[in-house]
Amino acid sequence: MVNANRGATGFQSNEFEQEYDRPSKSQMKREMTALQKLGEQLVDEPKDRVMRVPMPDELRDAILECQRIRGHEGRRRQLQFVGKKMRELDEAQLAAIKKTIEGWRGQSKSETALMHALERQRERLLADDGALTELLADHPALDAQQLRTLIRNARKEQEQSKPPKAYREIFQILKVLQNQPEQQEEDDESAEEDES
C-alpha cells in the first residue's frame, strides 16, 4: 500500500531538507587533516629551511619544539598543536607556506636531475675515450693527465671490486665543472654592474 504522505505519488517537497550555509563536518575534517599534514612536512624539514618559511613566530616555535621531541606520544601531541596553529592562519599565510614547500620540491627535483646527468657523463667517460676528448675540448683548462689517470684507476677499481675512490673523484671534478659556468655568469654580471 502506497502512503501518499511519503511522496510516492511524484510530489517532491524541499520543506524538510536542511540547507547548510557552512561546509559539512566531513569537509572540515578533510581540511584540518590537510593542514596537519602540511605541518608534518614542515616538521620533517631541516631547521634552517623552517627558519626561512614566512610564518608567525608561534607556529615556528611549535614546529622547532616538535623537531626536538623524541618521544612518540609527546611528538604526536606536539604535531596536534602544530595542526591547531596551522588552522589559525589565514589564506594568504597558508598560500605563502605552500608556495615555499612547492619551491623546495622543484629545487630538489632539479638538483636530483643534475646529479643524474653528472653520473651519466661519468659513466660515458669510463666507457668511451671519445667522451674524454669531447670534455677536454669543452673545458681546455682541465688537467688531461690527471683525468686520464683517474679514469684508468676507476676502471681498475671496478674490475677488482675495490672501493670507488677515483670513481668519486671524477664525479667531484664534473660537479665543479658544472658549477663553473654559473660562477662565470655571476662574475660577468657583477663586472657589468661595476662598469656602469
Side-chain angles (χ1 to χ4, degrees):
M1 180 167 155
V2 176
N3 187 344
N5 293 332
R6 295 195 180 229
T9 60
F11 176 71
Q12 296 288 324
S13 172
N14 292 336
E15 75 179 270
F16 297 113
E17 290 183 15
Q18 295 179 356
E19 293 185 23
Y20 294 105
D21 57 345
R22 57 187 169 85
S24 69
K25 194 172 180 181
S26 300
Q27 179 64 30
M28 289 172 39
K29 183 148 184 159
R30 281 191 294 270
E31 291 172 2
M32 289 188 326
T33 304
L35 290 175
Q36 183 82 26
K37 288 185 179 182
L38 186 65
E40 287 179 28
Q41 287 177 350
L42 288 169
V43 168
D44 292 339
E45 292 295 332
K47 180 181 177 179
D48 61 327
R49 274 192 169 179
V50 172
M51 296 303 287
R52 288 183 278 162
V53 176
M55 68 176 87
D57 289 336
E58 287 181 4
L59 176 60
R60 182 176 290 113
D61 293 342
I63 290 171
L64 295 175
E65 181 65 28
C66 190
Q67 289 177 341
R68 286 190 286 271
I69 296 174
R70 295 290 167 228
H72 176 72
E73 184 61 21
R75 185 174 172 87
R76 185 193 66 78
R77 283 195 313 267
Q78 187 67 19
L79 277 172
Q80 292 288 325
F81 182 68
V82 168
K84 178 182 175 184
K85 290 295 180 187
M86 294 289 290
R87 290 190 296 274
E88 293 174 1
L89 299 178
D90 61 15
E91 290 297 321
Q93 291 172 320
L94 283 173
I97 291 172
K98 288 177 183 176
K99 184 178 178 184
T100 304
I101 291 175
E102 289 297 320
W104 292 339
R105 286 189 189 141
Q107 182 181 14
S108 61
K109 284 182 182 178
S110 64
E111 288 174 359
T112 303
L114 178 66
M115 293 300 147
H116 287 306
L118 291 175
E119 288 171 0
R120 285 191 301 274
Q121 188 175 8
R122 175 179 59 188
E123 293 300 325
R124 241 185 356 258
L125 284 171
L126 293 176
D128 182 22
D129 291 330
L132 177 61
T133 308
E134 290 174 16
L135 183 66
L136 291 173
D138 291 341
H139 303 281
L142 270 177
D143 185 1
Q145 186 63 39
Q146 179 199 13
L147 205 51
R148 281 191 184 100
T149 304
L150 286 173
I151 291 171
R152 185 173 51 250
N153 290 345
R155 288 175 181 161
K156 284 181 185 177
E157 288 169 354
Q158 286 180 342
E159 289 172 6
Q160 299 173 357
S161 300
K162 288 187 174 179
K165 182 180 177 187
Y167 190 74
R168 290 183 183 135
E169 286 183 45
I170 293 170
F171 184 81
Q172 292 303 320
I173 290 171
L174 293 174
K175 194 173 175 183
V176 168
L177 286 177
Q178 186 70 30
N179 293 335
Q180 277 182 349
E182 295 173 6
Q183 292 276 330
Q184 289 176 351
E185 288 175 9
E186 290 174 6
D187 293 343
D188 292 343
E189 288 175 5
S190 63
E192 289 174 5
E193 290 175 5
D194 291 341
E195 290 174 3
S196 47

